[in-house]
Amino acid sequence: MAITAPELTKLLTETKKARESLDRVLDFVDLINKQLDNLPADVRTSGIEIKDQASVIEEQIEQIRQHINSELNKIPVDADEVKQAAHQLLLYQGNISQVIHWAEGQKRSHQPDSYWWRYWQAVSDIIKGQQGQQ
């Protein structure tokens, strides 16, 4: 079975966590570098090696993120899923104007024509259609 949009989104979340973890490692090296006068010389060498490897790892993480996004953006938005999402939003929020505003805000946080941008656009369109019927 093909990978789903939620599964790809989960991978993107984990990719972000990996990048944040790398940042924490680099923060650690910076902290150690501030104390080099009090530590053995080998520590400086280790810190340099970590920083060198970090730039390579950073590039690889970015490539993975781009590949995952590319695959996610190829997936068509499921019309039934969008209808269900719009229904749930209206059910729990009640106020159509607020739901439209919220959905438009979600859409703005994504690149135009990306999977999640198209998803929130479809949700917004359904809700706007229901607003027009009232």
Side-chain angles (χ1 to χ4, degrees):
M1 184 184 337
I3 194 163
T4 65
E7 291 169 330
L8 287 168
T9 301
K10 173 82 169 131
L11 289 175
L12 286 172
T13 299
E14 294 303 317
T15 302
K16 181 180 178 190
K17 288 179 186 178
R19 176 65 175 115
E20 291 167 351
S21 295
L22 180 60
D23 288 342
R24 282 193 291 279
V25 168
L26 291 172
D27 289 345
F28 164 74
V29 171
D30 289 342
L31 181 66
I32 292 299
N33 284 340
K34 290 178 183 177
Q35 299 297 325
L36 285 178
D37 293 340
N38 303 315
L39 298 169
D42 289 345
V43 172
R44 179 185 305 274
T45 304
S46 295
I48 291 169
E49 289 178 22
I50 289 171
K51 283 199 170 202
D52 289 346
Q53 292 300 315
S55 63
V56 172
I57 293 168
E58 180 180 14
E59 289 175 21
Q60 296 300 318
I61 290 172
E62 179 57 23
Q63 285 181 9
I64 290 169
R65 187 191 67 75
Q66 288 175 3
H67 289 304
I68 294 170
N69 264 325
S70 176
E71 290 303 310
L72 177 61
N73 293 338
K74 291 177 187 175
I75 296 175
V77 174
D78 183 321
D80 291 334
E81 185 179 324
V82 169
K83 286 177 189 172
Q84 181 64 25
H87 174 74
Q88 292 295 319
L89 283 171
L90 288 169
L91 182 65
Y92 292 108
Q93 297 298 322
N95 184 316
I96 291 179
S97 296
Q98 288 178 340
V99 174
I100 291 171
H101 181 72
W102 189 81
E104 288 294 320
Q106 292 298 310
K107 183 179 83 170
R108 279 190 298 276
S109 67
H110 298 284
Q111 293 290 325
D113 296 323
S114 67
Y115 174 83
W116 289 109
W117 186 92
R118 290 181 284 123
Y119 178 92
W120 288 110
Q121 178 64 51
V123 168
S124 181
D125 290 346
I126 289 170
I127 296 168
K128 287 176 183 174
Q130 289 189 8
Q131 182 182 35
Q133 292 176 358
Q134 290 184 344

